[in-house]
Amino acid sequence: MSEPRILTIDHGRCEDILVGWVRVRLNMGIESYSKNKGREAIRIENLPSLFGSRWLSSEPELHRKYPDLEYSAKEKPRMPKLKIFTIMDTERDLAHSDRSYMTGNMFAKSCFSDRVVPIYNIPDLDTVFREAGIGKVTSDKPSAYSDILDGYDVIEIYEMVKGREDTNLSEFLKYCLKTRPEYQGREF
């Protein structure tokens, strides 16, 4: 597994499962953060305070929390190839905070603002999966996501969600795919 250069901040358990599936399927290093292993939701409106927390205040602090993230104390920036993907559900019609999130303006004060890629699912990942024809999520969400994803490769999910207006999940998947030798140089 390669040294991780990706940190995801996951809305909940389903997003955690998706990120873990990508990590395993592509055999790549991805660090992820969620509340209580995804059992408690991180909402878009919570992100400004999360990005104001100590561990997201600087590269050294982030490295302390996630020591496996690629880090060079002698370079500036110390984490030059880092990408932070926040994978969130909007959970409703688009509100002001959602628009600020989707444009990235919400992260303007963060030292990582140029490395944050906001990923959105309108209104949620369950709906995106259903509407994209990936699968219908049942009431036992963790099990349903695992079962659904086991039937696909990452490139297939990417193809099913790219160009959709209700999500930009393809941006995360494309970035991950492009890090793998078998997909480098491929047009997406």
Side-chain angles (χ1 to χ4, degrees), residues 164-182:
R164 295 189 60 83
E165 292 184 16
D166 58 351
T167 187
N168 69 338
L169 180 60
S170 62
E171 293 301 312
F172 169 65
L173 299 175
K174 177 171 69 173
Y175 186 84
C176 292
L177 285 163
K178 285 187 163 201
T179 68
R180 311 320 304 151
E182 61 269 29

Side-chain angles (χ1 to χ4, degrees), residues 92-154:
R92 61 189 176 286
D93 293 331
L94 297 181
H96 175 72
S97 63
D98 297 337
R99 286 191 295 275
S100 174
Y101 169 75
M102 292 165 70
T103 62
N105 289 340
M106 179 178 280
F107 308 104
K109 293 181 181 176
S110 169
C111 63
F112 298 106
S113 64
D114 61 333
R115 294 176 265 179
V116 175
V117 181
I119 303 297
Y120 58 85
N121 297 295
I122 304 170
D124 55 45
L125 191 59
D126 300 358
T127 303
V128 168
F129 268 40
R130 186 181 69 245
E131 296 295 320
I134 297 167
K136 186 174 180 188
V137 178
T138 61
S139 59
D140 181 13
K141 285 185 175 193
S143 174
Y145 270 91
S146 295
D147 291 345
I148 289 168
L149 291 169
D150 280 346
Y152 292 101
D153 288 324
V154 176

Side-chain angles (χ1 to χ4, degrees), residues 2-29:
S2 64
E3 192 165 0
R5 297 177 180 148
I6 298 172
L7 170 67
T8 65
I9 297 175
D10 305 335
H11 167 73
R13 184 76 181 119
C14 301
E15 291 77 8
D16 255 1
I17 290 168
L18 174 68
V19 169
W21 173 79
V22 170
R23 180 187 304 116
V24 168
R25 286 291 172 127
L26 295 179
N27 190 29
M28 65 185 300

Side-chain angles (χ1 to χ4, degrees), residues 77-96:
R78 291 182 173 105
M79 301 172 130
K81 297 178 184 172
L82 175 70
K83 287 285 187 195
I84 300 173
F85 291 92
T86 55
I87 304 175
M88 298 286 133
D89 291 346
T90 64
E91 299 181 3
R92 61 189 176 286
D93 293 331
L94 297 181
H96 175 72

